[in-house]
């Protein structure tokens, strides 16, 4: 592959950084992830779906009513519904447009909230079976304007690495553990 085009989303982000003309290759992002950053999360599994949400709520009788649907979307990477804002679990995100605001990097072991950039609901889980995979817990968007509850807190980890290591964009393979349920996202 030597140029961007449709159908690139199954390729890893690392591979896309080597293809001239892609956002990843053009250096459109800092190398470390800071609180307040807009991020996308892509599965490391085959076909690599993106964490995705949209304003649609679960209907009556399906999962938790009035909570936003969250899915793994296998499609183009440029969808704005893939974007989440990473925040400390106990604080608002810093003003990333303020040059005086200190930069606070996300590290392995940190407790975080992931706020959907478009709908302002937090990534959330609870003891409720997922509609399509009832042996797993349901993941939803919950809250309003980034305010939710303790079921919105996730611990970011770099498998096999010590806590305190800064998360690097594109390079770091990471996992999110639900802070209450102990399950993986």
């Amino acid at each position: 592959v030597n140029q961007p085009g449709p159908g690139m989303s199954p390729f890893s982000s690392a591979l896309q950084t080597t293809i001239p003309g892609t956002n990843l290759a053009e250096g459109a992002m800092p190398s470390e992830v800071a609180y307040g950053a807009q991020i996308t999360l892509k599965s490391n599994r085959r076909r690599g779906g993106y964490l995705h949400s949209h304003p649609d709520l679960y209907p009556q009788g399906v999962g938790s009513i009035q909570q936003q649907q969250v899915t793994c979307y296998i499609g183009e990477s440029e969808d704005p519904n893939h974007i989440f804002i990473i925040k400390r679990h106990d604080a608002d995100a810093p003003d990333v447009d303020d040059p005086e605001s200190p930069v606070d990097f996300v590290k392995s072991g940190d407790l975080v909230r992931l706020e959907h950039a478009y709908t302002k609901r937090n990534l959330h889980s609870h003891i409720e079976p997922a509609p399509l995979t009832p042996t797993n817990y349901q993941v939803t968007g919950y809250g309003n304007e980034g305010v939710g509850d303790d079921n919105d807190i996730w611990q970011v980890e770099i498998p096999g690495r010590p806590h305190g290591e800064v998360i690097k964009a594109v390079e770091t393979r990471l996992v999110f553990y639900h802070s209450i349920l102990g399950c993986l996202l």
Side-chain angles (χ1 to χ4, degrees):
V1 179
N2 61 5
Q3 64 184 11
M8 292 210 25
S9 62
F11 296 124
S12 73
S13 298
L15 175 63
Q16 290 184 47
T17 64
T18 67
I19 302 170
T22 64
N23 286 340
L24 295 174
E26 302 303 321
M29 74 186 95
S31 60
E32 290 89 14
V33 178
Y35 284 102
Q38 292 188 352
I39 64 170
T40 57
L41 296 172
K42 186 176 182 182
S43 173
N44 288 326
R45 294 182 183 247
R46 189 171 169 257
R47 297 204 48 188
Y50 288 89
L51 186 65
H52 178 92
S53 194
H54 41 258
D56 297 336
L57 304 179
Y58 282 103
Q60 185 79 28
V62 179
S64 294
I65 61 168
Q66 299 306 304
Q67 292 193 19
Q68 184 173 301
Q69 296 175 17
V70 174
T71 61
C72 182
Y73 179 79
I74 299 172
E76 291 306 312
S77 60
E78 299 297 319
D79 188 325
N81 289 311
H82 300 338
I83 300 172
F84 289 80
I85 300 167
I86 192 161
K87 297 179 167 186
R88 285 197 166 282
H89 79 286
D90 58 355
D92 286 332
D95 182 357
V96 293
D97 294 324
D98 178 3
E100 301 298 316
S101 182
V103 176
D104 187 11
F105 293 111
V106 180
K107 298 174 193 69
S108 180
D110 285 359
L111 295 175
V112 302
R113 289 184 194 265
L114 296 169
E115 180 184 303
H116 191 248
Y118 176 61
T119 63
K120 304 297 183 204
R121 289 185 176 222
N122 295 325
L123 191 69
H124 178 92
S125 192
H126 44 245
I127 301 175
E128 177 77 35
L132 298 178
T133 55
T135 58
N136 296 316
Y137 293 124
Q138 181 183 44
V139 175
T140 66
Y142 177 77
N144 193 15
E145 296 294 321
V147 176
D149 66 23
D150 288 345
N151 285 316
D152 304 342
I153 301 172
W154 302 83
Q155 183 171 33
V156 62
E157 296 275 339
I158 303 172
R161 305 300 299 249
H163 285 185
E165 191 167 319
V166 173
I167 305 298
K168 301 217 180 254
V170 181
E171 296 174 25
T172 303
R173 290 183 181 247
L174 48 87
V175 295
F176 289 88
Y177 287 99
H178 192 266
S179 68
I180 294 174
L181 301 175
C183 60
L184 290 170
L185 176 61

